[in-house]
Amino acid sequence: MLQLKPEHAKAIHDLYPANDMEGVEIFEKLINALPAYCIFSSGELAAWMVQSYYGAMFSMQTRPEFRRKGYGIYLAQYLTKVVISRGYIPFVVIRPENDASLSLYKKFGFTKNYQTVRALQRPHATSRL
């Protein structure tokens, strides 16, 4: 288990499912300020997880070629302990279609309290005379 570094932010962002909503800069700031951990396998960044600016454990990702090796479980257990030791109540925000994460956290004893809804807001371009 290693601490993520800002230079990992681009690779993380590229695989983040909602990367159209969050910029690389967000990941750089999170990595600099909050608990963020990763696992390397054969010298490559294989899996990672970050605590978000609003307190959630978030952006747990495993690169496809490293899945089904237990890295996600290990990261989730580790970050859960870190979050608790920092005085936070651990929670996750999971997209409804993310069955793998829903199953993983259910195994840890997490319960669903709210339905997740995400929206992307952009200014409406209008022509004004």
Side-chain angles (χ1 to χ4, degrees):
M1 185 71 59
L2 298 171
Q3 182 74 33
L4 274 170
K5 296 181 180 174
E7 58 262 24
H8 300 129
K10 171 105 173 69
I12 291 169
H13 180 265
D14 289 348
L15 285 174
Y16 183 56
N19 62 11
D20 60 329
M21 296 181 172
E22 308 268 6
V24 174
E25 300 80 16
I26 293 292
F27 286 95
E28 290 170 346
K29 288 178 182 181
L30 293 174
I31 290 167
N32 278 324
L34 295 167
Y37 298 97
C38 62
I39 296 173
F40 277 80
S41 180
S42 303
E44 292 186 63
L45 182 61
W48 54 87
M49 191 170 193
V50 178
Q51 184 179 353
S52 79
Y53 48 89
Y54 53 87
M57 301 180 335
F58 115 112
S59 188
M60 180 175 58
Q61 293 281 144
T62 302
R63 290 178 49 195
E65 63 270 29
F66 295 106
R67 291 184 182 151
R68 317 280 315 147
K69 298 183 185 296
Y71 296 152
I73 291 169
Y74 189 64
L75 280 164
Q77 288 173 329
Y78 190 85
L79 191 56
T80 298
K81 290 177 185 174
V82 170
V83 166
I84 290 169
S85 75
R86 296 181 78 226
Y88 289 90
I89 296 171
F91 72 97
V92 293
V93 177
I94 302 171
R95 293 180 332 277
E97 68 275 7
N98 188 342
D99 294 331
S101 287
L102 291 167
S103 174
L104 174 75
Y105 285 103
K106 189 178 279 188
K107 288 178 191 174
F108 288 153
F110 282 67
T111 57
K112 181 178 177 179
N113 290 327
Y114 304 100
Q115 179 69 33
T116 302
V117 177
R118 290 195 69 159
L120 181 60
Q121 297 180 343
R122 294 190 174 129
H124 181 67
T126 60
S127 59
R128 294 185 182 195
L129 299 176

